[in-house]
Amino acid sequence: MAQDSSQQAPPAAPARALLPAVVPALVVGVATSLILVGVSTAAEGLQDVLWQDLPDALGVGGYSVPWMFAVLVATGIAVGLVVWKVPGHAGPDPATTGLDAPVLPPAALPGLLLATAFVLAGGPSLGPENPIIAVNVSLAVLLGTRAFPRAPERGWVALAEAGTIGALFGTPVAAALVISEALAGQRIKGRLWDSLFAPLAAAGAGALTTSLVSRPSFDLRLPPFGRPGWGDLLASLVVAPAGAVLGMCAVYAFPYVHGAFARLRHPMLMLPAGGVVLGALAALGGHLTLFKGLDEIGELARDPDGWSAGGFATMTAVKLAALLVAASCGFRGGRIFPAVFVGTALGLCAHALVPGVQPAVGVSAGVLGILLAITRQGWVSLFVAAVLVPSPGILALLCVASLPAWLLVTGRPLMQLREDGTAVR
């Protein structure tokens, strides 16, 4: 039977239409990676000074309660000064932004980079993704439209987002998944892979540059996971929805916590107050609940039986609360990496409660559920959860476990606010 012409696949773009985008895509991908690596390296150097050199010189414990409290409050003051005094005020309220970053004026970018470095070094529970994407997108649009005035702005945005996401996760697959999900709601010309061609080139360049320069790894080296069994399926079907419910608790609390800090009205009140609350949380949860959480989940995974169920539960709750506070009071940063720590601690808590829950299953399912609630990005949540446990058997479990978890989060508010403080749906 002849196929209806209205249902035929769109024609593929010729190679000559795609080739001109390759060089700009590669340049943007490399540049986005170098900016990410540069900010991360600077933050790591400052972190060493704040948490090792200074306390050693003063003869105090680097992770003693008074020192954690002091550094977090000082970080709030430092970021507050940047937001208050530096031109551009370090960009918009971070509670109103997500991975789809706005194009910022050039004057806002130095302050945003400085505030991000302070946050990464000082210990608040946020990652680099949102501000670094915003900086890279803004620079790509600024420079790209000047070099190629006829090229649409949206193309430079897509290249910078893809390059940064590829650099963040060390693989272009994550960027391809994010962009595919974004394109799902748009009318595109030609075939999907044609639309992904240039962003994928940027993501590949960003990922390879990061891998060559800093060698990132998300493999937690948990005990090996082989063929999944019925118990593993049951565990994933319980832990992933539990993570989604836990994440939605933070999502529903987000507007209220943000509103409480907003009533202070001034960044020199909001951010130091956030530092005080984070200092109290650090005293309760310990030093592993500080920072973006990527190095810290490696420490948890090295010894899955090293803490009791109560210890893991405490870290889960404290890290989620710290993420909520840091994202609400004005610290610049993203929410994906600390959410991964929350999911990891939740999964290891499930293993501690029920030893039959394999650590690999508990961790990947916990991360999946939390990320679905926090990001509402299905493909990214699956990708991050799967990449933590590089085993073919885990992916089938996660695909099944994502279904009930998704039913719990779809149609509900996001962990992102409008400018008037109401939740985005």
Side-chain angles (χ1 to χ4, degrees), residues 144-184:
T145 53
R146 288 184 179 179
F148 301 94
R150 295 184 180 180
E153 178 180 300
R154 181 60 206 166
W156 296 109
V157 171
L159 292 182
E161 288 181 347
T164 310
I165 294 171
L168 281 163
F169 295 103
T171 170
V173 176
L177 294 175
V178 171
I179 296 170
S180 298
E181 197 160 2
L183 290 175

Side-chain angles (χ1 to χ4, degrees), residues 67-115:
W67 188 255
M68 290 192 294
F69 193 90
V71 173
L72 285 162
V73 173
T75 301
I77 294 171
V79 177
L81 285 170
V82 172
V83 175
W84 180 28
K85 290 294 187 181
V86 174
H89 306 291
D93 181 351
T96 64
T97 63
L99 291 179
D100 51 342
V103 179
L104 303 178
L109 304 185
L112 181 56
L113 287 173
L114 186 59

Side-chain angles (χ1 to χ4, degrees), residues 25-406:
L26 295 178
V27 171
V28 170
V30 172
T32 56
S33 174
L34 292 177
I35 291 172
L36 170 65
V37 171
V39 173
S40 300
T41 301
E44 288 170 4
L46 180 57
Q47 180 179 331
D48 290 340
V49 172
L50 292 176
W51 297 96
Q52 295 179 20
D53 299 344
L54 269 179
D56 289 347
L58 296 173
V60 299
Y63 292 114
S64 63
V65 170
W67 188 255
M68 290 192 294
F69 193 90
V71 173
L72 285 162
V73 173
T75 301
I77 294 171
V79 177
L81 285 170
V82 172
V83 175
W84 180 28
K85 290 294 187 181
V86 174
H89 306 291
D93 181 351
T96 64
T97 63
L99 291 179
D100 51 342
V103 179
L104 303 178
L109 304 185
L112 181 56
L113 287 173
L114 186 59
T116 302
F118 284 159
V119 169
L120 294 175
S125 293
L126 292 172
E129 58 273 18
N130 289 10
I132 296 298
I133 289 175
V135 169
N136 284 337
V137 163
S138 302
L139 288 174
V141 169
L142 174 67
L143 300 177
T145 53
R146 288 184 179 179
F148 301 94
R150 295 184 180 180
E153 178 180 300
R154 181 60 206 166
W156 296 109
V157 171
L159 292 182
E161 288 181 347
T164 310
I165 294 171
L168 281 163
F169 295 103
T171 170
V173 176
L177 294 175
V178 171
I179 296 170
S180 298
E181 197 160 2
L183 290 175
Q186 302 178 14
R187 179 174 294 180
I188 60 175
K189 296 180 180 180
R191 301 196 176 190
L192 175 62
W193 196 253
D194 292 335
S195 299
L196 290 176
F197 183 82
L200 192 58
L208 285 172
T209 302
T210 301
S211 299
L212 291 171
V213 173
S214 62
R215 302 180 184 276
S217 175
F218 285 82
D219 184 1
L220 297 183
R221 303 190 185 279
L222 289 162
F225 177 76
R227 181 180 178 182
W230 290 107
D232 300 319
L233 176 60
L234 178 60
S236 65
L237 288 172
V238 171
V239 176
V245 170
L246 185 62
M248 288 308 302
C249 291
V251 170
Y252 278 110
F254 192 40
Y256 300 100
V257 178
H258 179 269
F261 282 107
R263 281 193 284 272
L264 297 176
R265 295 184 177 275
H266 198 283
M268 287 305 294
L269 295 176
M270 295 166 58
L271 284 150
V276 170
V277 178
L278 292 176
L281 289 170
L284 179 62
H287 73 278
L288 288 179
T289 58
L290 296 172
F291 307 110
K292 64 182 180 183
L294 190 57
D295 294 333
E296 289 70 27
I297 62 174
E299 189 168 340
L300 290 183
R302 279 195 293 272
D303 189 8
D305 299 309
W307 289 266
S308 66
F312 283 123
T314 299
M315 286 189 280
T316 300
V318 167
K319 188 69 172 182
L320 187 61
L323 165 60
L324 178 60
V325 170
S328 299
C329 70
F331 283 115
R332 270 51 180 171
R335 300 180 272 277
I336 290 179
F337 289 105
V340 171
F341 180 99
V342 176
T344 300
L346 174 66
L348 293 176
C349 178
H351 168 69
L353 284 171
V354 183
V357 176
Q358 297 191 56
V361 175
V363 166
S364 57
V367 169
L368 173 65
I370 288 287
L371 285 180
L372 284 174
I374 298 295
T375 70
R376 214 59 50 84
Q377 296 266 356
W379 286 121
V380 170
S381 302
L382 270 171
F383 168 79
V384 174
V387 81
L388 295 175
V389 183
S391 169
I394 206 71
L395 188 56
L397 291 178
L398 293 178
C399 288
V400 175
S402 69
L403 302 178
W406 183 254

